[in-house]
Amino acid sequence: MWLKPEEILLKNAFKLWVTEKDNEYFVLQRRRGYGEGGGGLTGLLVGTLDTVLDSTSKVAPYRILHHTPDSQVYWSIACGVTKEEIVQHWDWLQQNIMRTLSVFDSSEDITSFVQGKIRGLIAEEGKTSLVLEDDPEKFREALLRFEKWFELPPEEKLVTYYSCSYWKGKVPCQGWLYLSTNFLCFYSYLLGAEVKLIISWDEIWRLEKTSNVILTESIHVLAHGEDHYFSMLLHLTETFVIMEQLADYAIKRLFDKEAFQGQPALSDPLQITKRGLEAHAKSAQFRTFFRLPKEENLLEVHESFLWVPFSHFNTLGKICLSENYLCFASQDGSQCHVIIPMREVVNVEKPDSSSRALTVCVRGKRALRFSEVRDYQRLASTIRSRCGISASPQHSASSETIRGECQSLINHFEDNPEDVTLMVGQKDSSKAVSTEALMTVFHPQDVENLDPKMLKEKMKEQSWNIHFSEYGRGTSMFFTRKTRDLIVRGVPEALRGELWMLFSGAVNDMATHPGYYTELVEQSLGTSTLATDEIERDLHRSLPEHPAFQSDTGISALRRVLTAYAYRNPKIGYCQAMNILTSVLLLYAKEEEAFWLLVAVCERLLPDYFNRRIIGALVDQAVFEDLIRENLPQLVEHMTDLSFFSSVSLSWFLTLFISVLPIESAVNVVDCFFYDGIKAILQLGLAVLDYNMEALISCHDDAEAVTILNKFFDSVTNKDSPLPPTVQQASVGNNDKASHVNVDISELIREAYEKYGNIRSEEVESSRKRNKLYVIQTLEDTTRQNVIRVVSQEVRFSASHLDELYNLFKRQHFLSCYWTMQSPALLHHDPSLAYLEQYQLGFQQFSVLFSLLEPWAFCTTKSTLSLWVFRLIDENQDGLVNFKEFCCALDTLYSGSFTDKLKFLFKLHLPPAFDLPEDGVIRKSPERGRGKVDLQAYLKQWQNEILKKEETIKDLPRINQSQFIQFSKTLYNIFHGDPEEEPLYRAVAHVTSLLLRMEEVGRRLQEPSSPPEPTKPTGTSAAEESSTEEASSTPESSDTSSSHNSQDAGPDLSEVEWSFSFEQVLASLLNEPAIVSFFERPVDIQAKLGQAKVAQLKLKANK
């Protein structure tokens, strides 16, 4: 590898380096301790120095130096891992540089020329792969070490590396941590003790920052049941963020593809960089905080002051700019932030350069003044360009035009204030789509009603109107502490839909997709899928006590919204609990708004909740358990197993408490959820447990605890609700209410914010990421246990052997996914399928793994024979083999009787295994888990499996001449390399000859009248000769020449088609003790599994 020329001193270098070659201008050196005669204490010391110190020499045992005769200064210009590599560089210098150097007069010119040439070579090499790295030179050195130490496939992309200590027991090993796209690797070498660690990201169960007495701060990794600790990291937080991103990337890409497909920036594993991961993490945090669509990315961040008109002072914060939004968040604890869509900006003005300020004018006669912006001119031009505003305000004509347009827009919005909140540019909704919230239709407010509850409702509305006048209304409203206080007190019924749209960010989705919902409704109308069937079944179970859903109006609106979403997102389709949530949304929002609110909940606020495995809900349950341990220690002491709270709280998270609380109370919870996200649900859950602490501690079993919580929820009321009793939800336990004092929902929410409001959203997101690894791996472990339980009933492998086989099978599946964007294995993996169908291997993956595990080494990777094995065990002929099919084949070869093994080999040479298409291509299976399920096909398959009887040897068809010749060759391949190879070959030749003579005699007996034909013995001898020749041929030559030999034997035997039954072949082989003892010889399964585990990754690397 060429190196950036660096000056070195050779005063003490000769103690560590030995000169191998030299000439007038260059020296080739070898590191002591490497190569010939380099062992002993010197090798140990040098190896230790090379690992601990950060220098090129610590891995490259060879180097080339440049010098001139009249100078004592040497320059390192190349290094190499092997002697061949460094000699190649040396030869290039001799051929391309040495002749040129003679024309220079001075040493300085020679050195300058050499340095320029080397830098040019480096620049040429790094044009593609290293341009995105911060320090390409150092990264090239690290990449060299990474490739040498870990011997991973060349496609594996190194992302970054760090110096750190790895704790092996109680002893720290100083070394290097390498983070690549698919692996976490560590290497250390101290006084002859080498520590090498390779963990794939998809095997990690836990990844967290920890600290204890010995380790002040470290990173804890749990994989394969083992704990690994990394400490002494100079940039621990940065390292952890990168590790977290890579682990999350692997989980999404390999296990949870539904979420992954929405992230094209990370779709190519060969293009992942440290800078890209950091940017991705910041963008995700930015989108989560400001509730922006997933397409937005954080482009620029500027520190500045924002003039806050209602407080009359400048607040310090950061301007965050994305493709379509200008956002600001304060940093002085005032919890003030504002979101300005670019479509709302009408002008950007610069008062004067002295204040480094700019003013952003938005619709509705509002302006935001940012001051002390370091790069205010560039920011102003960026905003202008993104808004399509003229970048030259000096031209009065264009300025006047802009002002005129602004004034006309302002006048329009003053006349039509509803357009401010719901945006402009939306197409007229279809007449089939409801344009009113159901609550306004079924419960219109009586303006003249002077009921105390209605008066209080009017007071709430007045409070919000005052808030709007001070802080703004619509998308560019300021969000402050006062906003949260108003939310906690309860949102008035008339404003609920508008505020839900604003706080959730759904208002932006709807504004940027005009007419989208109407088109979806029209496209999805009349479609029939599994999702639509489930929707129809659940329609009348959605808030059945509410008048709105006792009529066709509400039911039809609910059907349209749920069907349109299932059509938009078939990955999720429809999941139970979506109907309950959508029902409540439709009460307070118009139909199209309810649709976009559902999109915001399913795709942003509650990611991965509404799919078949409800991973998101399980993750948040784990977060909830962590918060219980932290905030309710008394409860933890009494109930050590917190899984009870997970099972109880599942409905809390899935339905946002709507399923357990009366509707008039539940909507207050939904208010807080749309403002604070999942944090609000977690806080309320803690408050509920805290309120019932004493009762829960005194209960004796889970059933009693469930009863206590149910009674509590029944007692929760909303004393301020203006809804009439006919609309309010009837409590389940009315008869038992005397035992429980009524609890007001506003008081409960206020208590939740007071006690647990210090929970930060950033901590919740971090905990989500940490627990997601554990939840996914737990689900994967459940899959593994179920698969092994099913397969163990069919095979004779022990449970531990099956466990290792499953790990190898799953790893082989992932090896084909690590380095490609569109792997067929990734397409076939569907977590929603039955356990056995989740991981399957195509032919290429299967052939590699089978060649590592089969006992006789007769199948080379991608050989014709492995193709026949694949086709034989692929029972449903879908081009994929599952774990059960794979294990049954191996079980036959390892533990089957002589007859079973022979029958397996015999069937390899019968259709469908032997009868290949001309091009040898295997049919690919159709995509699974998509579209409508063919239930009839499944029922037919199950019926066939039930009726399938045990196959006997008499059921096997006869084997013809070409199949038999290939069968003989397969036996030769199996015996090749065995210590008893010669006797086994002779035995096969003898059996072949005997069978052919038996067939000849049988034919003569069947046709006594026909004269003997001279061609028959000739044909027989030809087949015998063919068998004898094959006995001395290698498996490779016999395998490749199969078609040729069968064609040679064909002309002599063309007149007579002979064949054998399995009984004939079995009986003949049973008479050969050498063959019988070979097949009955026990095979060390454990040794085979160990070898396969080591060789699996290296086999991929050496391809």
Side-chain angles (χ1 to χ4, degrees), residues 544-590:
E545 69 286 341
H546 198 286
F549 298 100
Q550 294 169 359
S551 72
D552 187 57
T553 306
I555 293 294
S556 298
L558 181 60
R559 179 188 291 112
R560 286 193 295 270
V561 172
L562 291 174
T563 307
Y565 187 78
Y567 190 84
R568 163 191 164 87
N569 192 345
K571 290 283 185 184
I572 292 178
Y574 170 76
C575 181
Q576 281 190 337
M578 287 172 71
N579 60 319
I580 297 172
L581 177 61
T582 309
S583 302
V584 175
L585 298 178
L586 280 167
L587 288 178
Y588 293 99
K590 297 174 184 178

Side-chain angles (χ1 to χ4, degrees), residues 828-843:
H828 295 312
H829 173 50
D830 188 345
S832 65
L833 291 175
Y835 291 123
L836 272 172
E837 306 295 315
Q838 287 189 19
Y839 292 107
Q840 301 184 89
L841 301 183
F843 167 62

Side-chain angles (χ1 to χ4, degrees), residues 856 858-859 865 868 905-906 908-909 914 963-976 988 1030 1035 1038-1039 1079:
W856 308 313
F858 71 102
C859 276
L865 205 54
W868 296 342
L905 295 173
F906 188 85
L908 280 184
H909 302 84
F914 187 75
Q963 293 165 350
F964 178 72
I965 290 173
Q966 189 59 52
F967 174 75
S968 303
K969 292 176 180 175
T970 299
L971 291 177
Y972 291 140
N973 282 336
I974 290 173
F975 302 147
H976 178 69
V988 173
E1030 287 152 9
S1038 64
D1039 190 73
F1079 281 110

